């Protein structure tokens, strides 16, 4: 006992999937690696509507509630744990690790969150890179003389795409934006709870991503990443268009195309799975008592 109460919520990609059964073995469980409590999933990704959940070392069913979604569930469990910890052992410091499944594939979010971004990406990935860089310069995130890296030769200009491609690809980015905004909302609920209990001003909060945005959706994106992985062939645009209304919901397992991954890593090169800075440069935010 080091005096800290510790808990882990969300994505644990350390325990082998084949060890997730009720009979173990349990020597790779999160609770065997230093955490007092775990609630989340042992996998690279999770279905946001029907996740395979683990509590400590045991498989459990998601709560039976209308409109279930994973990020809300993770935040609910973390807030409950913080309440218990604050009540039972207020003299103990805590370490809580919250690893949302967002925005790893599959890209999924409640429909109303996706609709908030309707039309927001119709300008395409080339223009979005320019707009993003301008905001970064204005905020002082990058030097004023920063220039965009060239668009990779295998990535088409947005203006060269057909109207059908633009419609599908813009919708895929709306899904992604809804996904990350929804996750941000539920992270915010945790911070609001800490503020309400008076603990936020005495808590170090660290936000970090594990990689740059991802190009796993391929050149055309995908509404069914499982088929995409098996065949290793780009999705057919006509097939994607037929499933456009399924994107982001439980009938899809989607990911956006390379162009949005490049835009998400502005101003760097490429995306995850490359050693260029777009693949390995990650956002890092820290706030702590006495730091503004």
């Amino acid at each position: 006992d080091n005096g800290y109460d510790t808990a882990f919520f969300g994505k644990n990609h350390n325990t082998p999937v084949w060890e997730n059964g009720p009979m173990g073995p349990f020597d790779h469980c999160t609770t065997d690696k230093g955490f007092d409590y775990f609630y989340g999933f042992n996998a690279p990704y999770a279905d946001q509507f029907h996740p395979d959940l683990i509590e400590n070392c045991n498989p459990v069913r998601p709560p039976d509630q209308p409109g279930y979604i994973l990020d809300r569930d993770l935040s609910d469990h973390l807030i409950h744990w913080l309440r218990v910890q604050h009540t039972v052992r207020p003299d103990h410091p805590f370490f809580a690790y919250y690893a949302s499944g967002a925005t790893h594939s599959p890209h999924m979010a409640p429909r109303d969150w996706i609709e908030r971004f309707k039309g927001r990406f119709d300008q395409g990935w080339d223009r979005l890179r320019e707009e993003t860089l301008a905001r970064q310069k204005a905020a002082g995130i990058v030097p004023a003389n920063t220039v965009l890296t060239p668009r990779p030769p295998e990535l088409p200009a947005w203006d060269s795409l057909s109207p059908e491609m633009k419609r599908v690809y813009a919708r895929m980015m709306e899904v992604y934006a809804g996904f990350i905004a929804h996750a941000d909302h539920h992270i915010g609920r945790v911070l609001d709870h800490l503020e309400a209990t008076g603990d936020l001003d005495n808590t170090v909060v660290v936000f970090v991503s594990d990689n740059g945005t991802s190009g796993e959706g391929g050149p055309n994106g995908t509404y069914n990443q499982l088929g995409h992985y098996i065949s290793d062939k780009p999705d057919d645009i006509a097939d994607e268009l037929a499933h456009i209304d399924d994107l982001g919901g439980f009938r899809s397992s989607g990911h956006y195309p390379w162009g949005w991954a490049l835009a998400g890593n502005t101003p760097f090169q490429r995306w995850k799975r490359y050693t260029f800075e777009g693949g390995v440069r990650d956002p890092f935010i820290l706030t702590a008592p006495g730091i503004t």
Side-chain angles (χ1 to χ4, degrees):
D1 186 355
N2 60 10
Y4 281 78
D5 298 318
T6 60
F8 184 154
F9 300 85
K11 176 181 177 178
N12 168 43
H13 196 188
N14 298 296
T15 303
V17 174
W18 53 89
E19 294 185 6
N20 283 348
M23 300 306 294
F26 300 123
D27 52 340
H28 294 114
C29 281
T30 308
T31 50
D32 192 57
K33 301 298 182 181
F35 286 92
D36 301 319
Y37 178 78
F38 173 70
Y39 183 82
F41 57 97
N42 293 335
Y45 51 79
D47 184 318
Q48 297 294 305
F49 300 104
H50 306 97
D52 294 321
L53 292 174
I54 304 292
E55 186 168 30
N56 295 322
C57 294
N58 299 309
V60 295
R61 294 183 181 277
D64 184 13
Q65 55 186 218
Y68 174 88
I69 193 79
L70 179 56
D71 269 317
R72 183 177 67 234
D73 186 17
L74 294 176
S75 289
D76 286 348
H77 274 78
L78 173 49
I79 291 170
H80 174 74
W81 183 86
L82 288 169
R83 285 186 178 128
V84 173
Q85 194 277 339
H86 183 84
T87 301
V88 176
R89 303 216 294 191
D91 56 322
H92 277 221
F94 68 84
F95 176 80
Y97 180 51
Y98 180 14
S100 170
T103 51
H104 196 288
S105 61
H107 295 169
M108 294 175 158
R111 182 55 61 98
D112 59 324
W113 281 85
I114 297 171
E115 294 304 327
R116 297 181 185 200
F117 295 92
K118 185 71 174 177
R120 294 278 293 276
F121 303 101
D122 290 353
Q123 75 275 40
W125 47 63
D126 293 317
R127 183 70 60 80
L128 182 62
R129 293 183 79 205
E130 296 170 356
E131 295 170 352
T132 301
L133 180 60
R135 289 195 299 270
Q136 291 172 335
K137 289 180 178 180
I141 295 173
V142 299
N145 62 350
T146 301
V147 297
L148 289 173
T149 55
R151 178 170 16 88
E154 68 272 27
L155 180 61
W158 180 263
D159 289 343
S160 72
L161 301 178
S162 69
E164 292 79 14
M165 287 179 173
K166 289 180 179 179
R167 181 185 172 200
V168 171
Y169 297 167
R171 184 59 173 178
M172 288 176 172
M173 187 58 182
E174 291 167 8
V175 170
Y176 175 87
F179 192 16
I180 199 168
H182 178 257
D184 183 66
H185 167 75
H186 288 292
I187 293 170
R189 289 178 54 223
V190 176
L191 298 178
D192 288 345
H193 170 77
L194 290 172
E195 184 174 35
T197 60
D199 289 330
L200 187 59
D201 290 338
N202 193 36
T203 300
V204 176
V205 180
V206 178
F207 172 85
V208 64
S209 175
D210 64 345
N211 48 251
T213 52
S214 173
E216 291 166 302
N220 297 345
T222 178
Y223 81 92
N224 179 12
Q225 64 171 350
L226 300 180
H228 176 73
Y229 289 157
I230 292 170
S231 69
D232 200 30
K233 294 180 180 179
D235 276 26
D236 177 74
I237 188 64
D239 201 24
E240 290 185 334
L241 189 60
H243 291 87
I244 191 170
D245 291 335
D246 293 332
L247 290 171
F250 68 91
R251 291 188 177 91
S252 77
S253 183
H255 201 291
Y256 59 25
W258 286 341
W260 297 124
L262 179 67
N265 286 328
T266 301
F268 301 124
Q269 295 185 67
R270 295 190 182 267
W271 40 81
K272 175 185 172 183
R273 295 191 174 184
Y274 286 87
T275 56
F276 294 115
E277 290 184 335
V280 299
R281 286 295 181 96
D282 312 317
F284 177 90
I285 301 170
L286 183 145
T287 179
I291 297 178
T292 57

